[in-house]
């Protein structure tokens, strides 16, 4: 028996319609047709515009009758619609008064903010029809994907080793040797490699639909087209980037991404998405109409009293995140990705914007951040904040957390870099960072700290030790873009060199960096390619470079095999020692009879915490009763960032145990890193000599 609400009540030019349901927003397939629902508080009228796929002109424009409006929601059910072969948009009418915040223009066709798929950029870099007024087109999806029992992995936060990667850059270089380079499918081909490396979480730069042609231009330096490569400028929040899918031209990007996530989960690898809710691709007052501006500008954006856009994002506009409508959209979006795509967590770009009120002022208890922390659907998702914004709000260590939020620890990055470079006033800060930054997260624990030395934004790890200054000329901004202070050092020569001694020093510093990172409590994050010495040729802001500057060169994996092997073994070492992954700040004596974390100078148990020094040693003592291991675990790292050799007196171990060498960054393979079952016993159990700018890592057996 048919339901009453599956019968049409109206007809427009032969198309049968009836009043729809206000929720959910977006286009939803229902018995007999499709339910369309869109919010606008200030629009006076709305029209549904229907296209056949890829056609320039609509085949139907259907006004919403007044009785189809429920509160501030226009809703309509359209019967007998071929949802697989149409695209749709809206035309909104209302006041045009930018000074008051109103930008309505009935001639503009607008993308549905809740569109689950978006046409217009199905093939990366393929020029669209620029004369087409409707560039980004809402599409309807039928969700019949078979997950075959898959679910988010829910790996404990403390056990994560995060690998930050760009979907396209990971496999686009010819050396990647994949069938469909630069796509979601190609990442599946790299899963065996990721497993061998030992990472259990991949964090993808933005995969929400964006326009790679945004601000596109030809570089006067290289003659190449500069693109919106990173994608930190969402066109739509609910749709995956079609141009990242090998099947995007067939409209199958949703299934392709889900297949990738399913395969990663099968192999024990979580997926975190880098999400951008601080601004949209519509830019400032000179930007295009895409969606939000024409649907309800005053609701969606933070506006000055004069009607201009606040620009706390540095990208032209700022989403009005703590407006209830926008807040609910963000919640709906994240719930959708968690429930329908099985996403394990989210990293929020410029997350401090999410704590600003509707006048742009920081809030003590931002309702959006609290709602995300307590949302039932997101209850097991990792929530990670980039705890600053372009407007000067810096909240590292003070981001509103409710016991749920972790943070990109920018202080960790800067402090470790300076110490590695040889700044002698850093040791007090290094002690904090290695312990998980208790000075920042005393009430939240080490797992609140995402520790990183490099990320997509800045130098690669090899470039950090190959360049004294940024080389961003190819970006076309006269080298003015990107950070000026990188705490980098080229060891006497700018860029690549054939000098054996300089190259050995650079490789050693890469090993020093990953050693400290993986010994530090907190959550380590590695930039894709750092594990084999990838370079961006000194560019520290490659946001627009869709070329070999940004693509990982997999040939380096062969030439820098020793770096890869070292990374892999250090990750394995971290996984086998739970004392390095503690969830609480423990320094007191534990069941081992030793302090859980102790600091030493060149004399054991004698460290001057007020000194300015480049030599420091740390010992972790993991009691078997505390960590459920077969035996007490002892780890000692002698860190010498001085330019001269130094001896370190070793702490005495319990009877029957001896110090064995795990790693020595001052040595070349195979003596730089010893296999777990083949650690080399120290001949002298009282002292270890550490060469200049080196680390020796020991364990007790």
């Amino acid at each position: 028996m048919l339901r009453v609400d599956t019968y049409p009540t109206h007809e427009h030019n032969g198309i049968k319609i009836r009043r729809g349901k206000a929720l959910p927003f977006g286009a939803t397939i229902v018995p007999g047709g499709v339910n369309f629902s869109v919010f606008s508080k200030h629009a006076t009228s709305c029209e549904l515009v229907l296209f056949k796929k890829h056609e320039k002109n609509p085949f139907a424009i259907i006004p919403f009758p007044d009785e189809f409006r429920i509160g501030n929601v226009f809703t309509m059910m359209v019967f007998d619609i071929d949802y697989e072969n149409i695209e749709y948009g809206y035309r909104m009418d209302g006041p045009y008064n930018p000074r008051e915040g109103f930008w309505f223009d009935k001639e503009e066709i607008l993308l549905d903010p809740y569109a689950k798929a978006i046409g217009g950029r199905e093939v990366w870099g393929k020029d669209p029809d620029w004369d087409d007024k409707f560039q980004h087109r809402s599409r309807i999806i039928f969700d019949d994907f078979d997950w075959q029992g898959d679910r988010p992995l829910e790996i404990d936060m403390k056990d994560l080793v995060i690998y930050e990667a760009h979907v396209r850059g990971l496999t686009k270089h010819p050396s990647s040797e994949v069938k469909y380079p630069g796509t979601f499918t190609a990442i599946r081909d790299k899963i065996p490699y990721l497993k061998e490396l030992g990472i259990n979480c991949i964090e993808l730069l933005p995969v929400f639909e964006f326009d790679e042609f945004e601000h596109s231009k030809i570089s006067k330096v290289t003659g190449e087209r500069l693109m919106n490569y990173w994608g930190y400028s969402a066109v739509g929040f609910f749709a995956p980037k079609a141009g990242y899918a090998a099947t995007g031209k067939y409209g199958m990007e949703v299934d392709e991404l889900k297949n990738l996530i399913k395969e990663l989960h099968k192999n024990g690898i979580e997926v975190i998405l880098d999400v951008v809710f601080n601004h949209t691709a519509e830019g400032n007052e000179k930007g295009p109409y895409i969606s939000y501006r024409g649907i309800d500008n005053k609701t969606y954006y933070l506006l000055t009293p004069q009607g201009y856009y606040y620009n706390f994002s540095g990208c032209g506009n700022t989403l009005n995140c703590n407006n209830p409508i926008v807040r609910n959209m963000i919640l709906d979006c994240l719930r959708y990705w968690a429930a329908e795509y099985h996403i394990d967590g989210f990293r929020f770009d410029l997350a401090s914007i999410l704590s600003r009120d509707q006048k742009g002022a920081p809030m003590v208890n931002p309702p959006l951040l609290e709602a995300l922390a307590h949302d039932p659907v997101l209850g097991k998702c990792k929530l990670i904040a980039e705890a600053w914004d372009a407007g000067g709000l810096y909240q590292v260590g003070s981001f509103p957390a409710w016991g749920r939020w972790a943070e990109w620890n920018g202080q960790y990055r800067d402090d470790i870099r300076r110490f590695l470079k040889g700044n002698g006033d850093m040791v007090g800060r290094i002690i904090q960072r290695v312990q998980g930054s208790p000075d920042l997260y005393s009430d939240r624990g080490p797992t609140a700290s995402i520790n990183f030395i490099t990320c997509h934004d800045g130098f690669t790890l090899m470039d950090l030790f190959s360049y004294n200054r940024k080389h961003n000329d190819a970006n076309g901004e006269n080298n003015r873009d990107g950070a000026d202070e990188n705490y980098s050092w080229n060891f006497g020569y700018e860029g690549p060199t054939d000098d054996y001694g300089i190259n050995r020093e650079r490789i050693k510093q890469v090993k020093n960096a990953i050693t400290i990172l993986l010994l530090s409590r907190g959550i380590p994050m590695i930039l894709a390619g750092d594990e084999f010495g990838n370079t961006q040729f000194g560019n520290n802001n490659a946001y627009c470079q869709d070329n070999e500057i940004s693509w990982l060169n997999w040939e380096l994996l062969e030439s820098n095999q020793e770096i890869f092997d070292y990374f892999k073994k250090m990750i394995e070492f971290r996984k086998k020692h739970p004392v390095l992954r503690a969830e609480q700040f423990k320094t007191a004596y534990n069941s081992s009879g030793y302090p859980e974390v102790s600091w030493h100078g060149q004399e054991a148990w004698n460290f001057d915490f007020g000194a300015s020094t480049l030599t420091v040693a740390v010992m972790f003592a993991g009691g078997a009763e505390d960590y459920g291991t077969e035996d007490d675990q002892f780890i000692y790292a002698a860190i010498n960032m001085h330019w001269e050799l130094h001896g370190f007196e070793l702490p005495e171990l319990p009877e029957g145990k001896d110090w064995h060498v795990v790693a020595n960054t001052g040595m070349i393979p195979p003596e730089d890193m010893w296999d777990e079952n083949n650690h080399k016993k120290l001949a002298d159990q009282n002292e270890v000599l550490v060469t200049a700018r080196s680390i020796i890592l020991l364990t007790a057996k």
Side-chain angles (χ1 to χ4, degrees):
M1 181 176 178
L2 292 175
R3 292 163 48 117
V4 172
D5 59 7
T6 61
Y7 289 96
T9 59
H10 296 61
E11 185 173 312
H12 181 81
N13 293 338
I15 298 176
K16 296 175 181 179
I17 61 175
R18 69 172 293 135
R19 189 172 84 157
K21 296 184 180 297
L23 294 174
F25 291 144
T28 307
I29 299 171
V30 295
V34 176
N35 188 83
F36 295 91
S37 179
V38 61
F39 160 87
S40 180
K41 180 178 180 180
H42 299 103
T44 56
S45 68
C46 179
E47 294 172 330
L48 175 66
V49 187
L50 298 176
F51 298 79
K52 292 181 180 178
K53 272 190 178 179
H54 307 297
E55 292 196 358
K56 198 168 183 177
N57 298 313
F59 70 85
I61 299 175
I62 310 172
F64 284 78
D66 289 342
E67 62 267 34
F68 285 20
R69 186 169 185 173
I70 304 172
N72 294 322
V73 178
F74 297 92
T75 180
M76 177 194 301
M77 181 177 171
V78 181
F79 290 83
D80 303 322
I81 190 170
D82 184 8
Y83 58 81
E84 290 185 339
N85 294 302
I86 71 157
E87 297 166 331
Y88 71 97
Y90 298 107
R91 295 201 310 196
M92 298 282 185
D93 200 4
Y96 180 82
N97 186 345
R99 187 173 179 84
E100 294 297 321
F102 301 122
W103 284 72
F104 290 103
D105 183 344
K106 192 177 180 180
E107 298 305 310
E108 296 287 348
I109 305 174
L110 305 166
L111 176 74
D112 182 356
Y114 277 72
K116 304 303 191 298
I118 298 173
R121 300 292 185 272
E122 296 93 336
V123 178
W124 176 279
K126 181 181 179 181
D127 280 286
D129 179 0
W130 295 109
D131 294 327
D132 187 348
K133 192 172 183 179
F134 191 28
Q135 288 286 313
H136 304 284
R137 297 166 168 241
S138 321
R139 289 181 175 175
I140 302 165
I141 66 166
F142 178 66
D143 189 5
D144 60 349
F145 185 78
D146 184 2
W147 281 100
Q148 299 177 317
D150 178 79
R151 51 166 287 178
L153 296 181
E154 298 178 11
I155 298 172
D156 282 348
M157 194 77 176
K158 64 180 175 60
D159 295 326
L160 292 184
V161 180
I162 300 173
Y163 187 79
E164 191 202 28
H166 186 282
V167 171
R168 185 167 170 83
L170 188 64
T171 62
K172 183 58 182 173
H173 196 280
S175 62
S176 67
E177 297 183 347
V178 295
K179 188 173 183 180
Y180 301 104
T183 65
F184 297 129
T185 293
I187 296 178
R188 293 177 61 183
D189 295 338
K190 292 298 183 183
I191 289 176
Y193 169 82
L194 298 175
K195 287 183 67 178
E196 181 186 359
L197 178 59
I199 65 101
N200 56 11
C201 178
I202 186 168
E203 181 176 309
L204 297 176
L205 268 67
V207 302
F208 295 175
E209 186 62 63
F210 63 91
D211 185 359
E212 65 268 30
F213 289 102
E214 183 183 0
H215 305 308
S216 177
K217 61 183 179 181
I218 301 298
S219 170
K220 294 180 180 179
V221 177
T222 65
E224 295 187 0
R225 182 185 289 276
L226 302 177
M227 310 288 283
N228 172 19
Y229 174 74
W230 282 351
Y232 284 93
S233 193
V235 166
F237 296 116
F238 291 78
K241 174 66 177 163
Y244 279 166
T247 57
K249 57 187 175 183
Y250 306 117
M252 296 296 292
E253 64 270 14
V254 170
D255 282 6
E256 185 172 328
L257 177 54
K258 289 180 177 180
N259 268 313
L260 168 61
I261 295 165
K262 184 171 71 173
E263 288 302 310
L264 286 165
H265 283 174
K266 280 183 181 178
N267 287 277
I269 300 173
E270 288 196 335
V271 181
I272 290 176
L273 297 184
D274 194 337
V275 295
V276 188
F277 292 113
N278 52 72
H279 73 286
T280 77
E282 291 185 309
N284 61 15
E285 295 78 15
K286 298 179 180 179
Y289 281 83
I290 297 175
S291 179
Y292 316 93
R293 170 176 288 151
I295 289 176
D296 202 333
N297 187 70
K298 196 166 185 176
T299 293
Y300 282 105
Y301 293 114
L302 288 181
L303 304 174
T304 70
Q306 295 77 31
Y308 294 103
Y309 294 97
Y310 278 116
N311 188 20
F312 298 116
S313 67
C315 298
N317 64 54
T318 305
L319 268 182
N320 191 6
C321 296
N322 283 297
N323 176 287
I325 298 298
V326 184
R327 182 168 73 237
N328 287 338
M329 181 186 72
I330 294 172
L331 283 164
D332 288 344
C333 173
L334 295 173
R335 290 166 181 158
Y336 175 73
W337 284 94
E340 299 300 324
Y341 283 84
H342 297 195
I343 293 300
D344 301 276
F346 303 94
R347 178 265 186 188
F348 293 77
D349 180 65
L350 299 182
S352 290
I353 285 178
L354 278 61
S355 72
R356 292 183 182 270
D357 66 18
Q358 295 185 49
K359 294 183 180 179
M363 307 170 74
V364 177
N365 294 303
L368 172 58
L369 299 181
E370 183 177 18
L372 290 169
H374 297 294
D375 186 79
V377 178
L378 304 175
K380 300 294 184 180
C381 280
K382 280 81 174 175
L383 302 177
I384 301 170
E386 183 183 36
W388 54 84
D389 67 22
L393 183 57
Y394 188 81
Q395 296 177 304
V396 172
S398 61
F399 192 82
W402 289 278
R404 287 277 280 118
W405 285 85
E407 298 174 14
W408 266 28
N409 191 343
Q411 292 194 36
Y412 183 96
R413 172 198 60 203
D414 294 345
D415 291 344
I416 301 298
R417 285 186 176 195
R418 281 184 271 189
F419 183 62
L420 288 168
K421 186 179 179 182
N423 289 24
D425 57 348
M426 297 306 302
V427 71
R429 298 179 67 85
I430 293 302
I431 287 170
Q432 296 290 333
R433 303 299 155 250
V434 171
Q435 291 183 97
S437 297
D439 58 333
L440 300 175
Y441 307 113
S442 60
D443 58 340
R444 293 156 63 185
T447 55
S449 179
I450 306 298
N451 298 331
F452 67 103
I453 301 172
T454 55
C455 65
H456 71 275
D457 188 0
F459 278 147
T460 68
L461 194 57
M462 182 59 80
D463 285 0
L464 190 66
F465 306 116
S466 303
Y467 295 91
N468 278 355
R469 55 187 176 85
K470 64 186 182 184
H471 293 264
N472 298 355
D473 300 274
N475 296 354
E477 300 181 43
N478 296 316
N479 210 36
R480 291 192 299 266
D481 63 303
D484 291 317
E485 186 54 85
N486 298 286
Y487 311 115
S488 62
W489 182 28
N490 67 12
F491 283 89
Y493 190 89
E494 190 77 352
T497 177
D498 294 329
D499 187 292
Y500 177 82
I502 291 177
N503 286 329
R504 287 312 313 170
E505 289 296 317
R506 290 174 176 176
I507 291 172
K508 184 166 64 172
Q509 283 288 66
V510 168
K511 293 178 182 178
N512 289 338
I514 196 62
T515 302
I516 294 175
L517 179 66
L518 291 171
L519 286 178
S520 299
R521 287 177 164 180
I523 314 305
M525 185 181 78
I526 297 167
L527 174 64
D530 277 352
E531 74 277 10
F532 54 75
N534 190 62
T535 177
Q536 292 182 170
F537 311 103
N539 193 317
N540 76 347
N541 189 35
Y543 72 97
C544 57
Q545 299 294 335
D546 180 31
N547 50 48
E548 293 192 1
I549 291 176
S550 293
W551 303 341
L552 299 196
N553 182 355
W554 291 86
E555 293 174 354
L556 293 171
L557 179 58
E558 181 176 353
S559 57
N560 287 328
Q561 183 71 38
E562 76 167 280
I563 297 177
F564 175 81
D565 290 341
Y566 192 91
F567 268 63
K568 180 173 68 174
K569 291 174 183 177
M570 273 303 306
I571 292 171
E572 181 183 12
F573 181 81
R574 179 182 178 85
K575 289 181 176 179
K576 290 185 176 181
H577 293 86
V579 69
L580 300 176
R581 310 191 306 275
E583 296 179 279
Q584 299 175 345
F585 294 116
K586 300 177 182 178
T587 55
Y589 286 78
N590 61 23
S591 60
S592 69
Y594 286 71
E596 187 151 306
V597 183
S598 55
W599 294 92
H600 309 262
Q602 293 179 52
E603 294 182 19
W605 306 104
N606 183 15
F607 184 72
D608 182 357
F609 288 89
S612 177
T613 180
L614 293 170
T615 56
V616 60
V618 59
M619 184 170 73
F620 296 92
E625 294 179 17
D626 302 272
Y627 289 99
T629 54
E630 292 184 5
D631 195 5
D632 296 338
Q633 296 184 337
F634 296 87
I635 299 165
Y636 175 88
I639 304 170
N640 177 22
M641 290 300 109
H642 195 224
W643 46 87
E644 295 179 354
L645 177 146
H646 289 281
F648 288 76
E649 182 186 11
L650 296 173
E652 187 175 346
L653 289 167
E655 187 175 352
K657 289 185 178 294
D658 295 301
W659 288 116
H660 290 67
V661 179
V662 176
N664 184 346
T665 65
M667 301 295 286
I668 61 173
E671 295 189 345
D672 60 334
M673 189 80 186
W674 298 84
D675 292 331
E676 177 69 23
N677 298 321
N678 193 32
H679 291 158
K680 180 182 178 182
K681 181 180 175 181
L682 273 181
D684 185 350
Q685 290 289 310
N686 299 309
E687 184 183 38
V688 63
L689 298 178
V690 186
T691 57
R693 299 189 183 92
S694 299
I695 299 174
I696 291 184
L697 179 61
L698 308 176
T699 189
K701 290 189 174 183

